[in-house]
Amino acid sequence: MDAGHKKKLYGKAAHVYSFKKQSTFREQLIEHVKKSHLKLMTQIPRRPWDETDTMHIDQVYVNLGMRQGTKGNKEFEPIDSFDDLFRDLENDKSAKRILVQAKAGLGKTTLVSKIAVEWAHNNPTHPNLCQFEVVFVISLRHVVGNTSLTHNIISQLFGKFSCTESDLLDFLKANQSSCLLILDGYDEYSNSSSDINDVINYKMFPKLSVLITTRPWKAEYLETTKRMNVYAEITGFSQQDVQTYIKKHFSNKECAGHCLHYLEDQGLYSFVTTPLILLFFCLLWDEHQKDSDFELPKKYSDFYRQIIELIETRSGIKLHQKTYLQLGEIALNALLSKDKSLVFNKQDILESSVDESVFKTGLLSQSRTLKGLLPVTMVSFPHKTVQEYFAAMFLVHKCETTGDDDIMDQFTSMEEMEDFQYVFLFACGMSKLATQTILTYASRFARQWEDYDNEPNHIMPTFDFFMLCLYEFVGFDDTKGLPQKLQGMSDALSFLKFIVIDDTVDSKHFHMLENLFRIPMVQSTVEEVIFANNFNFKHINPQHTIQQLQQIKRIGLLYNFVFGSNSYNCPEYMYECQFWEELPASTLQEIKLINRVEPPYPPYLLETPTMYIHRFKQLTTLYIAMHSSEAVEMPWEELMKELEHLPHLQSLTLEGLYLDTQAVSCLAESLRQSGTHLHHLDLIGTWLDGSSEAFGSLLTYLQECVNMKSFTFIVEKEEETILNETNFLLLKAALSKMKILCTLSLNDCSGAFSYEANVLEGVNPQLESLTLMYNHQECCLNHLTKALPSFQTLKSLELIHNALYEVDDNKVIELFDSLSCLSQLTTLDMSYIWSGHMSSQTCSTITD
């Protein structure tokens, strides 16, 4: 883009039409865009490989199942119509960036076509959509090179309409708040156009409403790096939608009836909830409905193979296997390339010695376009999944002949492998060796137990990737010969070491899991299991699961409970005695029990686990957290008493505590009686008045924990401080004896900063992470400023300051000066200080 174009785009000096000329141009432009949408998007191919065989979109379009959330609330809720995507948000602010995600074949492009057509018809049943004066659509797969936004709109929509880029640019600048731009297929976008990137990032036309469609893996990238206002997800067809679609597809009612009866009889509705798969099924049914032995393929790879065969049959051209592999190599290399190309120059394909007859089969779509001033013929596969199928064919060929390490080694993260999910899915359906190779490589990036704390939302997509590949290898609803099929694949199944079972797991995955859990090889592989998120267990019995998994070392129960006054909406399975009796006492090393609760609290939340803690003699880690708006009144004292039976306990986290003197005394005595010396201790909660003496006994015990690596003491007090002067000295002494302490978190409600002596004095100089929560900033800042230079290995520092208190600018500057000698410090979070009452001059001084 030249400098003049940039100046015109971002500057204020835009060319201004006379009112009459602008009005005429506006009317002509709007009228042409409507005609273009009706011409290009009203008719959709009946068969993806034959663009001349079309039908009206209303003949086949079925309202897609959709869910929607907003930036502040991503709890997706069902919506009735795509028109709801364009509702004004809170405070009458229009949704400026709308993200619509869907898996392959769920109808993203069809949805875009329907939106464009309904706007062009000015359909009154879509009032939110029709508020836009113009709806522009750009297919991102056809964006080539660093071409401007206006160039792509004109080349894809305008045809013979006389409009210069300058004219369109001026129109957009003047009318951006009343326009909608749809960017279809962000996952197919080479990220080459700086204009399009600037639009998404609000740098260009910030008042323009933009809707972006993409596959889920790219949606995650957009969510974390871009500012999206509305999030939506296409969920596919319901059983009723499938029935509606089939009745529309087949003009012959008897044929539609037979088709529906087959799906019902075979229990295959769940296989065809994806619109593209349903279309392919209807085409196969058209072809084979008279065959008495016709059966729907059990794998997606077989399904696509039959579609390819159907295309060949209809064209009358039989391609050689060599041609398939040539197309597969082109498809795979394009997907692996930097721009992930989905559109190819026909001449480049011919130069690869591909049989020219392939262009007559319909396997490749052709279109004419301009490259510079020269016309060229561009080709593409009928759908991205078809390209991915051919890529999988070549990947399998490499795997089974020359080996595919050079291909697989290009994937350096789970995100990159998830980008190739459908290539790997198809390959797993074609070859056991390919399945072993793919799952073994992917297992290098499998999520671990610790990842659930940091990125719980990323766990399930990863697990879904493995399960889909495994399901494709085995075959849809065909798990009878599973042990034989998985023989020799222990390395490929190592991802099953860590399993999360929650309400996001597809029901068919539970069927697979239940069969896997019966195999000894899998039983010995699974070591860590998390049950999470209000799972209702209609698909799987937790007791039965635990009975089969007697080698597990870690069990996690993580739930968000919503309690009403009369009933508890919670999974009581987790708190029944039988479940805890089934847990393997000889191998279990860690229990994590987290509940997000509000009163009133069901008694079994802590009572049942407490009854069985003593069984687990090998337990090294116990993590119990009750997240609530107030401290949770539970039988903490009974729990403390049980700790004396855990001689190997090294890590203890108790969060949401409501402790009195007796409970604190029991904790100290039990830890002492167990003979264990903790390495990690986190105490977070509310301490009652009068517990100072009891806490002193706990601090005395802590002086014996010379191998303590992590210590957190975050408490709320009612009236008096927990740390009287005697306890303060005990804490200071205990910290000084923790010679390998790496992580320390304190708050001054405990009284840690209430005395002249510096509580940080004597702390291990090799400390790596420090978190301080404080109100009385002057005393704390003084202590911290003096102590920080001694922590030369400090990597993370977090200061949480109560913004109700004034910040002494000079003290803050002194603190920042003390940081200059900490060469290893990589994480600094002082946001609460920054958001305080510092002057701009102080901020500038600190920045310098």
Side-chain angles (χ1 to χ4, degrees):
M1 187 182 299
D2 58 35
H5 181 75
K6 284 280 188 182
K7 180 177 179 181
K8 192 172 187 61
L9 183 59
Y10 296 105
K12 297 181 179 179
H15 175 71
V16 180
Y17 289 92
S18 67
F19 178 80
K20 181 177 179 181
K21 181 177 180 181
Q22 190 174 19
S23 175
T24 302
F25 177 77
R26 177 199 298 269
E27 293 170 358
Q28 291 176 346
L29 182 145
I30 293 173
E31 184 63 23
H32 182 81
V33 172
K34 286 184 177 181
K35 289 181 179 179
S36 179
H37 288 335
L38 294 176
K39 177 182 179 181
L40 298 175
M41 300 185 186
T42 303
Q43 298 295 320
I44 62 174
R46 188 185 304 272
R47 297 171 177 81
W49 56 86
D50 186 357
E51 295 182 357
T52 63
D53 184 6
T54 63
M55 52 189 169
H56 196 279
I57 190 171
D58 290 338
Q59 286 182 261
V60 291
Y61 183 80
V62 176
N63 283 326
L64 296 165
M66 297 188 71
R67 305 187 303 163
Q68 177 180 312
T70 59
K71 183 176 182 180
N73 177 24
K74 291 188 197 174
E75 293 294 328
F76 287 104
E77 296 181 357
I79 58 176
D80 296 328
S81 164
F82 60 74
D83 193 61
D84 292 340
L85 296 174
F86 308 108
R87 283 184 306 194
D88 287 350
L89 298 177
E90 294 178 7
N91 304 320
D92 295 327
K93 293 181 179 178
S94 295
K96 295 302 180 186
R97 298 296 182 269
I98 304 165
L99 177 61
V100 178
Q101 69 175 50
K103 294 181 180 179
L106 277 179
K108 296 181 290 293
T109 298
T110 303
L111 173 66
V112 168
S113 297
K114 185 65 173 175
I115 290 173
V117 169
E118 293 301 295
W119 170 80
H121 282 310
N122 197 27
N123 191 328
T125 62
H126 301 296
N128 297 313
L129 172 63
C130 292
Q131 69 180 326
F132 295 109
E133 279 195 286
V134 188
V135 174
F136 298 107
V137 178
I138 293 180
S139 172
L140 291 176
R141 72 151 51 188
H142 292 105
V143 174
V144 180
N146 189 18
T147 46
S148 67
L149 174 71
T150 50
H151 167 83
N152 283 286
I153 292 176
I154 290 172
S155 64
Q156 293 192 32
L157 277 182
F158 282 12
K160 297 180 180 180
F161 178 60
S162 178
C163 174
T164 66
E165 288 193 46
S166 179
D167 291 342
L168 181 56
L169 193 62
D170 289 338
F171 174 83
L172 285 170
K173 290 192 68 174
N175 302 282
Q176 55 184 290
S177 60
S178 62
C179 295
L180 170 66
L181 172 65
I182 300 178
L183 302 175
D184 183 32
Y186 191 80
D187 57 289
E188 303 176 358
Y189 173 47
S190 63
N191 207 38
S192 58
S193 170
S194 58
D195 270 15
I196 291 175
N197 295 336
D198 285 346
V199 167
I200 296 173
N201 291 321
Y202 293 85
K203 294 180 180 178
M204 180 177 176
F205 305 132
K207 296 181 180 180
L208 180 69
S209 289
V210 181
L211 185 149
I212 306 168
T213 70
T214 184
R215 287 188 184 180
W217 71 272
K218 206 67 173 181
E220 185 176 305
Y221 166 77
L222 288 168
E223 287 178 14
T224 54
T225 62
K226 313 297 181 186
R227 290 161 51 198
M228 299 291 129
N229 304 103
V230 172
Y231 302 82
E233 178 182 26
I234 301 175
T235 56
F237 284 159
S238 65
Q239 183 168 327
Q240 183 177 350
D241 294 332
V242 171
Q243 294 170 354
T244 302
Y245 182 95
I246 288 175
K247 290 175 182 177
K248 284 189 173 185
H249 181 90
F250 296 105
S251 55
N252 186 314
K253 292 182 179 181
E254 184 179 359
C255 179
H258 287 316
C259 182
L260 291 170
H261 177 74
Y262 174 82
L263 290 176
E264 182 74 35
D265 186 56
Q266 298 293 319
L268 293 175
Y269 269 106
S270 62
F271 187 76
V272 294
T273 55
T274 300
L276 183 65
I277 296 297
L278 181 55
L279 170 62
F280 285 170
F281 168 72
C282 290
L283 296 173
L284 288 176
W285 186 266
D286 264 337
E287 188 73 11
H288 300 287
Q289 58 180 300
K290 296 180 181 179
D291 299 342
S292 58
D293 59 346
F294 171 70
E295 289 187 4
L296 188 70
K298 302 294 185 181
K299 301 179 181 181
Y300 288 107
S301 51
D302 290 341
F303 199 85
Y304 274 73
R305 176 181 55 78
Q306 289 197 18
I307 288 295
I308 302 302
E309 292 174 354
L310 175 60
I311 294 174
E312 281 190 340
T313 301
R314 290 295 180 88
S315 67
I317 299 173
K318 180 65 177 177
L319 296 176
H320 193 274
Q321 181 66 17
K322 177 184 176 182
T323 303
Y324 281 149
L325 293 177
Q326 288 174 321
L327 288 176
E329 184 174 13
I330 292 170
L332 181 61
N333 288 338
L335 292 171
L336 287 170
S337 67
K338 184 177 180 180
D339 61 359
K340 302 183 184 301
S341 178
L342 302 176
V343 182
F344 315 92
N345 190 318
K346 182 178 181 179
Q347 189 60 36
D348 293 338
I349 293 180
L350 291 174
E351 290 174 0
S352 300
S353 302
V354 174
D355 186 346
E356 290 189 45
S357 62
V358 72
F359 297 106
K360 301 176 182 179
T361 62
L363 282 173
L364 293 173
S365 304
Q366 303 186 58
S367 61
R368 299 282 287 176
T369 186
L370 290 177
K371 187 174 183 180
L373 298 176
L374 300 175
V376 295
T377 300
M378 305 300 290
V379 298
S380 62
F381 290 92
H383 191 268
K384 186 179 180 181
T385 54
V386 177
Q387 179 173 343
E388 289 167 322
Y389 176 81
F390 275 94
M393 291 178 61
F394 184 74
L395 178 63
V396 169
H397 170 72
K398 288 278 289 181
C399 182
E400 295 186 338
T401 54
T402 61
D404 64 342
D405 288 352
D406 57 329
I407 296 176
M408 298 304 297
D409 285 341
Q410 297 185 49
F411 298 94
T412 59
S413 69
M414 195 65 226
E415 288 71 24
E416 291 179 3
M417 295 202 72
E418 286 170 349
D419 181 12
F420 261 62
Q421 176 170 324
Y422 289 91
V423 175
F424 294 140
L425 182 74
F426 291 134
C428 287
M430 298 175 188
S431 162
K432 178 175 181 176
L433 181 58
T435 304
Q436 287 180 280
T437 302
I438 291 166
L439 293 184
T440 301
Y441 264 83
S443 292
R444 298 179 301 168
F445 313 116
R447 304 301 189 196
Q448 305 298 320
W449 174 273
E450 293 77 11
D451 295 330
Y452 198 87
D453 293 333
N454 302 322
E455 300 178 296
N457 294 330
H458 295 174
I459 293 292
M460 295 320 302
T462 300
F463 185 68
D464 195 53
F465 169 88
F466 285 104
M467 293 303 293
L468 285 173
C469 288
L470 197 57
Y471 226 107
E472 180 67 14
F473 166 63
V474 173
F476 182 77
D477 202 26
D478 181 18
T479 55
K480 294 179 181 178
L482 198 57
Q484 290 73 28
K485 292 178 180 178
L486 297 180
Q487 191 171 0
M489 294 182 62
S490 57
D491 289 343
L493 297 178
S494 62
F495 74 92
L496 289 170
K497 174 186 175 183
F498 171 44
I499 294 176
V500 178
I501 298 177
D502 71 2
D503 51 8
T504 66
V505 179
D506 192 291
S507 60
K508 70 178 182 180
H509 292 347
F510 288 114
H511 179 66
M512 172 66 79
L513 284 174
E514 285 188 321
N515 284 279
L516 286 171
F517 292 160
R518 298 189 182 103
I519 303 174
M521 178 179 63
V522 174
Q523 292 173 355
S524 61
T525 299
V526 180
E527 295 182 359
E528 303 160 348
V529 180
I530 287 180
F531 294 94
N533 295 339
N534 279 344
F535 184 59
N536 59 18
F537 301 108
K538 65 182 179 181
H539 299 297
I540 197 168
N541 185 305
Q543 282 94 333
H544 183 60
T545 299
I546 294 302
Q547 283 175 352
Q548 295 174 316
L549 305 178
Q550 288 298 297
Q551 300 299 316
I552 60 173
K553 298 177 181 178
R554 290 169 160 179
I555 184 77
L557 313 177
L558 286 66
Y559 285 93
N560 297 313
F561 292 117
V562 180
F563 295 127
S565 57
N566 299 317
S567 63
Y568 299 132
N569 175 23
C570 59
E572 297 184 20
Y573 287 100
M574 292 290 111
Y575 300 94
E576 290 182 352
C577 295
Q578 184 181 351
F579 176 81
W580 289 89
E581 289 171 352
E582 296 294 347
L583 288 173
S586 61
T587 62
L588 198 64
Q589 298 175 7
E590 180 170 347
I591 294 176
K592 178 175 289 189
L593 176 60
I594 300 178
N595 295 296
R596 292 174 175 84
V597 297
E598 293 299 330
Y601 313 110
Y604 52 77
L605 277 185
L606 200 56
E607 285 180 356
T608 308
T610 297
M611 291 169 56
Y612 290 93
I613 287 292
H614 68 274
R615 292 185 63 241
F616 311 115
K617 304 298 184 184
Q618 303 303 315
L619 205 66
T620 61
T621 301
L622 179 60
Y623 187 114
I624 297 180
M626 300 290 179
H627 297 296
S628 176
S629 58
E630 58 185 63
V632 181
E633 295 189 60
M634 288 284 178
W636 294 107
E637 182 180 335
E638 286 74 10
L639 174 65
M640 304 307 176
K641 291 178 181 178
E642 293 299 314
L643 298 181
E644 68 178 68
H645 302 293
L646 306 178
H648 300 290
L649 190 67
Q650 294 183 358
S651 177
L652 176 63
T653 295
L654 300 174
E655 185 173 347
L657 301 169
Y658 198 74
L659 297 178
D660 55 17
T661 300
Q662 191 63 31
V664 180
S665 298
C666 285
L667 175 61
E669 184 61 25
S670 292
L671 291 173
R672 186 175 286 107
Q673 289 294 326
S674 69
T676 185
H677 292 145
L678 294 176
H679 293 180
H680 304 271
L681 177 61
D682 298 321
L683 298 176
I684 304 170
T686 297
W687 297 73
L688 296 180
D689 295 343
S691 57
S692 296
E693 182 178 348
F695 185 60
S697 65
L698 179 61
L699 289 172
T700 302
Y701 159 77
L702 289 178
Q703 293 188 40
E704 303 172 15
C705 300
V706 295
N707 291 321
M708 186 76 75
K709 297 179 181 178
S710 174
F711 179 53
T712 296
F713 180 44
I714 305 294
V715 298
E716 297 297 329
K717 59 184 176 61
E718 293 197 342
E719 291 182 3
E720 62 181 40
T721 180
I722 299 300
L723 284 181
N724 54 31
E725 188 168 1
T726 300
N727 285 347
F728 170 80
L729 294 176
L730 288 173
L731 173 62
K732 192 172 184 299
L735 291 176
S736 66
K737 292 182 179 181
M738 299 174 185
K739 297 302 184 182
I740 60 173
L741 188 68
C742 295
T743 302
L744 176 62
S745 302
L746 298 170
N747 72 332
D748 67 351
C749 286
S750 64
F753 309 111
S754 302
Y755 301 94
E756 185 175 344
N758 193 338
V759 73
L760 298 176
E761 198 174 74
V763 170
N764 176 27
Q766 304 300 312
L767 194 71
E768 296 181 359
S769 176
L770 178 61
T771 298
L772 300 179
M773 303 171 63
Y774 63 96
N775 293 331
H776 309 294
Q777 55 94 16
E778 182 171 350
C779 181
C780 180
L781 289 181
N782 285 338
H783 289 343
L784 188 57
T785 301
K786 292 177 182 178
L788 274 178
S790 64
F791 302 130
Q792 289 297 305
T793 58
L794 196 67
K795 298 178 182 178
S796 173
L797 175 62
E798 182 179 8
L799 295 183
I800 303 175
H801 171 257
N802 190 330
L804 296 176
Y805 291 79
E806 292 288 338
V807 176
D808 186 324
D809 288 14
N810 292 327
K811 296 294 182 183
V812 175
I813 292 175
E814 290 176 8
L815 173 63
F816 269 86
D817 287 341
S818 70
L819 299 179
S820 58
C821 63
L822 303 180
S823 59
Q824 296 190 38
L825 189 66
T826 57
T827 302
L828 178 62
D829 186 352
M830 305 179 75
S831 55
Y832 284 82
I833 287 182
W834 283 100
S835 62
H837 305 280
M838 288 190 299
S839 65
S840 58
Q841 182 178 357
T842 300
C843 292
S844 176
T845 302
I846 291 173
T847 303
D848 293 340

